[in-house]
Amino acid sequence: MKPIYSISLIIALFLGLAFHSCEAPETEAEVPEYVIVIHGGAGTISPDVITPEQEEEYKNKLNEALEAGEAILKNGGTSIEAVAAAIIIMEDSPLFNAGKGAVFTNQLRCELDASIMEGSTLNAGAVAGVTDVKNPIKAAIAVMENSPHVMMAGDGASVFAGEQGMEMVENEYFHTQRRLDAVKRAIEQSQEDNSGTVGAAALDSYGNLAAGTSTGGMTNKMYGRIGDSPIIGAGTYANNESCAVSATGHGEYFIRHTVASDISARMLYYGQRFEDAANYVINEKLVNVGATGGVIGVDKYGNVAMPFNTPGMYRGYVKSTGEKEVAIFGE
Ligand code: ASP
């Protein structure tokens, strides 16, 4: 080899190694035993639109959801169980657009979507457009664990959920005055609106990642419309090789840009750090097309990211190291 070539080769190798080492994530020795991260939706949430009392109410509920997930992880439970526990607390609360308190369609009914994914196996389950399953995330888990399918919709999903022993409710169970007022305003102004979807992602002590999402969708959505939340790769994604992500935002864009799996793919194929991949997708890619929303997630090393391009996003995380945050507004 001519000397000029060997010098170039050495320089190239050196640069390659230097670049690689600054991109490299933390080592396994630093991986926390467990991590759980949650969201309660992104949107036009700012101190002008919610009172200090409401802020406290939201923070208390986010804390309750985090604590429920953490208790499971601390006692050796799985990331799927922790994600489900946190989401069920938020589905049962009228504060969020999932389960009780879900937004209304243009026909003044609630149609709910949910999904779950396991990072170790890439198994996944989802339900779409269900109107009578009290906790759609439980039905999504049943689809994953007890059916040969990944997604079930409408009446078939409800029959399956009933057979699986899920609690079934009348559609009125989900209704709240606040969401009814919101859909009436949206109908008057011919608008759709999104906010309050819930989601969680976790890393358990076995090194397994999981993510889940549950929503009523968009206020004043057309009856029958399905958003990104139940779509694996759009609203939810988990892969033990990369990260676990749950999204919230304008679903049509999140579907077109396969937001959750794009973040994982950037890590796997570009070697991007989780935080950089998530930030890029939310704050550049989606911003460039006028899409609003955010994601929360955790990578296989226990790093957390929670980027959003809206004024606020209900969010929080806790790690086995004691590190914890619950927040609503942007910095
Ligand atoms: N992504 C949800 C949907 O489009 C809405 C939301 O996250 O607020 O159905």
Side-chain angles (χ1 to χ4, degrees):
M1 195 184 283
K2 287 190 180 161
I4 185 86
Y5 289 143
S6 42
I7 289 168
S8 321
L9 189 67
I10 290 166
I11 292 174
L13 273 173
F14 174 76
L15 284 177
L17 279 175
F19 181 73
H20 186 75
S21 59
C22 62
E23 284 296 298
E26 283 93 292
T27 62
E28 249 175 73
E30 297 167 46
V31 177
E33 193 189 324
Y34 64 78
V35 177
I36 178 155
V37 49
I38 60 173
H39 72 80
T44 47
I45 315 154
S46 66
D48 327 328
V49 297
I50 64 171
T51 63
E53 293 73 36
Q54 287 169 323
E55 184 182 335
E56 203 185 315
E57 213 183 339
Y58 275 103
K59 283 190 169 167
N60 288 342
K61 200 44 90 173
L62 291 169
N63 266 312
E64 192 184 326
L66 276 178
E67 280 162 17
E70 182 178 21
I72 287 173
L73 294 169
K74 203 185 260 176
N75 292 318
T78 67
S79 49
I80 288 282
E81 290 165 341
V83 162
I87 290 181
I88 288 166
I89 299 254
M90 293 187 281
E91 283 182 338
D92 288 345
S93 161
L95 292 175
F96 304 100
N97 170 20
K100 178 148 190 76
V103 298
F104 286 85
T105 67
N106 62 354
Q107 292 206 339
L108 305 187
R109 275 168 67 76
C110 295
E111 295 181 356
L112 312 168
D113 304 330
S115 65
I116 187 106
M117 185 164 185
E118 189 172 70
S120 54
T121 55
L122 303 187
N123 280 343
V127 290
V130 293
T131 56
D132 52 5
V133 182
K134 181 172 180 251
N135 290 107
I137 195 69
K138 289 189 186 172
I141 294 172
V143 171
M144 174 172 81
E145 291 180 347
N146 304 331
S147 91
H149 306 303
V150 168
M151 183 188 273
M152 296 191 67
D155 292 347
S158 289
V159 170
F160 173 75
E163 284 168 3
Q164 290 291 311
M166 311 268 121
E167 189 173 349
M168 308 302 285
V169 291
E170 294 299 322
N171 199 255
E172 287 66 31
Y173 162 78
F174 302 112
H175 298 185
T176 52
Q177 192 59 43
R178 170 185 167 214
R179 300 293 190 193
L180 189 60
D181 296 343
V183 74
K184 288 184 177 161
R185 274 196 310 273
I187 290 171
E188 263 169 40
Q189 296 160 6
S190 307
Q191 271 179 353
E192 281 183 340
D193 191 21
N194 63 286
S195 72
T197 291
V198 308
L203 171 70
D204 63 26
S205 54
Y206 315 102
N208 291 325
L209 291 168
T213 309
S214 181
T215 190
M218 311 254 299
T219 304
N220 194 26
K221 66 184 179 181
M222 286 170 69
Y223 126 84
R225 175 264 191 190
I226 305 294
D228 60 311
S229 308
I231 298 183
I232 298 303
T236 300
Y237 197 72
N239 183 340
N240 272 11
E241 298 294 311
S242 54
C243 60
V245 171
S246 169
T248 170
H250 195 152
E252 280 67 14
Y253 290 96
F254 281 64
I255 295 173
R256 293 185 192 118
H257 292 273
T258 56
V259 164
S261 65
D262 190 23
I263 293 170
S264 163
R266 285 178 172 277
M267 296 174 70
L268 292 174
Y269 305 140
Y270 281 175
Q272 260 185 322
R273 288 168 60 236
F274 177 47
E275 200 183 355
D276 296 340
N279 260 327
Y280 175 80
V281 172
I282 297 301
N283 287 314
E284 293 201 40
K285 204 174 163 186
L286 290 183
V287 166
N288 288 341
V289 294
T292 53
V295 294
I296 56 92
V298 52
D299 72 8
K300 62 177 178 172
Y301 300 104
N303 298 305
V304 163
M306 309 189 287
F308 52 98
N309 62 30
T310 46
M313 179 168 81
Y314 301 107
R315 62 197 186 278
Y317 72 87
V318 61
K319 297 188 181 191
S320 53
T321 54
E323 204 183 308
K324 184 172 183 184
E325 184 186 336
V326 169
I328 299 180
F329 313 119
E331 295 318 313

